[in-house]
Amino acid sequence: MRYFDRRHAGQALATRCLALMRTGGFTAPLVLALPRGGVPVAAEVARAIGAPLDVLVARKIGIPGLPEVGVGALVDDEPPVFDAAALTVLGLTEELLAADVERERAELHRREAAYRAGRPPLNVTGAVVLLVDDGLATGATARAALRHLRRLRPARLILAVPVGDAAAAAALREEADDVVCVHQPQHFHAVGEWYLDFDQVQDTEVISILRGTGTAA
């Protein structure tokens, strides 16, 4: 099963989220997207369930030379969350990655300023929160985001993705109250292989969607 693009993936994910709302007995969730790729997906989910949409900016910390392979992630000004086992296997330490962390934190703040344009984030305390991304590989970014949100005391915290690694999805059930992963391929290598169109989402598209003039309009 491959999705045409992120919009198609978001429509499939929205169907599953609506089913969870019916069986789980909750209404009026907030939808938070992990930018950039999660924003077009989350826009379809938010539209289908009639929910407000916002972003939670998190940054992956990758292996030096292989930035797409995450060994950790960070949110806001909180300490990074690392995969200790992966660091050991790769012979890396948090100290060796300190410069990468600061670079990613600077980019995180740049994106927050660009996407929010002065708007405050949605208040998630006491709310049902759907955290949406376009896929789940190592789960490093989602883990950091879920831990950040948990500290804000939502009533219920749900991770929702169209496709992901089965082991990563299972592991994240320790962090979320529910994990919705529509497609969990037996042989999973990368999120992009499950999309026919997986072009990089640009800042302009994210801003357009959040302002209600893009695909979320």
Side-chain angles (χ1 to χ4, degrees):
M1 175 184 177
R2 284 179 169 82
Y3 299 109
F4 298 125
D5 54 18
R6 290 180 178 87
R7 181 177 180 181
H8 177 216
Q11 291 164 354
L13 183 58
T15 299
R16 288 288 294 273
C17 290
L18 284 166
L20 179 62
M21 289 173 64
R22 288 192 294 269
T23 60
F26 64 89
T27 58
L30 306 180
V31 177
L32 297 184
L34 287 171
R36 292 184 282 204
V39 176
V41 179
E44 295 298 326
V45 174
R47 175 160 43 199
I49 66 178
L53 172 67
D54 200 358
V55 289
L56 175 62
V57 183
R59 292 296 295 168
K60 178 167 58 180
I61 303 164
I63 299 172
L66 288 171
E68 70 279 4
V69 181
V71 292
L74 68 159
V75 179
D76 199 32
D77 288 319
E78 296 176 2
V81 175
F82 284 106
D83 182 333
L87 292 181
T88 300
V89 168
L90 295 165
L92 296 171
T93 65
E94 295 186 25
E95 290 73 21
L96 286 173
L97 295 170
D100 300 84
V101 169
E102 291 313 305
R103 183 177 62 251
E104 294 301 337
R105 200 182 300 279
E107 175 62 13
L108 184 153
H109 289 315
R110 184 199 69 79
R111 292 192 184 195
E112 283 185 328
Y115 300 160
R116 294 203 179 285
R119 295 187 303 273
L122 293 176
N123 180 11
V124 304
T125 302
V128 176
V129 177
L130 289 174
L131 179 67
V132 177
D133 204 356
D134 57 7
L136 188 65
T138 66
T141 305
R143 186 178 298 276
L146 289 167
R147 289 184 180 180
H148 168 78
L149 289 169
R150 185 67 77 187
R151 284 189 281 272
L152 300 179
R153 303 187 306 278
R156 188 167 178 174
L157 183 55
I158 302 161
L159 174 66
V161 294
V163 62
D165 177 77
L172 287 171
R173 294 185 185 278
E174 299 176 359
E175 310 288 347
D177 299 309
D178 294 286
V179 175
V180 177
C181 186
V182 179
H183 184 39
Q184 299 180 46
Q186 185 175 0
H187 302 291
F188 183 95
H189 301 290
V191 173
E193 67 181 330
W194 302 99
Y195 286 81
L196 297 176
D197 177 357
F198 198 65
D199 287 347
Q200 187 177 57
V201 176
Q202 301 299 321
D203 282 347
T204 51
E205 182 178 355
V206 172
I207 293 167
S208 178
I209 290 172
L210 294 175
R211 288 178 177 172
T213 58
T215 59

